[in-house]
Amino acid sequence: MALTPPASKIWWNEPIGRGELVWIVLAFLWGLIMFFMMVYWHVEGQQNLSNEVYRIDPAVFEAKTEAFVEEFTVREEADIPVASVPAGADVFMLARLWDWWPILELKKGQTYRLHLSSLDWQHGFSLQPININIQVHPGLEHVVTLTPTEAGEFSVVCNEFCGLGHHQMVGRIHVTE
Ligand SMILES: [Cu+2]
């Protein structure tokens, strides 16, 4: 019966079974293989973005994004400014409850430095339909070097649950020819 203590006092110090040992070794080796595959996937599989991350005060990031919007806004879509950015420029997009702001307009084949941060708490930058995902934290500025390879309209959805308006937290990036 389960309430009876084990027969010997040191019941846990038994030699390890052969089958169990084999599985421990296999799992350990597989862990090592997957660890080194991370480097391989980075180089060959074009996964694992090489982001840069810097500490930043959310108020400073907000001010930088506002200055960026003031400089590059060309029109509005549903009251959201659309910033059309020259090639090679620094591009800012902020996350907050419950916006990705502003809308960006980029050119295909040009390289930009996209700066992302949050003003309140954690959000998830998920670029659709190509499925690039970056966690966006307040106090940390992520800088992604990106070159759009196709023209079209891309959506940004928040994929970290961030409260009541989470499902409405969508942004947009236009890529023009
Ligand atoms: Cu969010």
Side-chain angles (χ1 to χ4, degrees), residues 23-131:
W23 281 112
I24 288 173
V25 170
L26 282 179
F28 179 73
L29 289 178
W30 184 243
L32 278 184
I33 290 169
M34 295 302 273
F35 179 79
F36 289 106
M37 286 294 279
M38 286 196 290
V39 182
Y40 171 75
W41 283 320
H42 179 85
V43 177
E44 280 299 317
Q46 300 184 320
Q47 295 184 22
N48 302 349
L49 306 176
S50 327
N51 295 350
E52 301 156 50
V53 182
Y54 306 95
R55 290 201 182 280
I56 191 164
D57 188 304
V60 174
F61 190 81
E62 183 176 29
K64 281 163 90 173
T65 309
E66 274 168 5
F68 162 80
V69 167
E70 194 149 309
E71 188 172 351
F72 295 112
T73 295
V74 289
R75 62 175 189 280
E76 295 203 335
E77 286 175 15
D79 291 338
I80 302 166
V82 180
S84 181
V85 196
D90 283 70
V91 181
F92 292 81
M93 184 182 270
L94 61 78
R96 64 186 164 203
L97 301 171
W98 287 281
D99 284 318
W100 294 104
W101 188 86
I103 294 170
L104 303 175
E105 193 168 81
L106 309 177
K107 286 203 175 57
K108 181 181 159 183
Q110 303 291 347
T111 299
Y112 301 90
R113 282 171 58 80
L114 171 63
H115 298 244
L116 294 168
S117 191
S118 165
L119 300 191
D120 33 54
W121 56 65
Q122 180 175 318
H123 299 283
F125 175 96
S126 182
L127 186 64
Q128 299 298 330
I130 49 177
N131 201 24

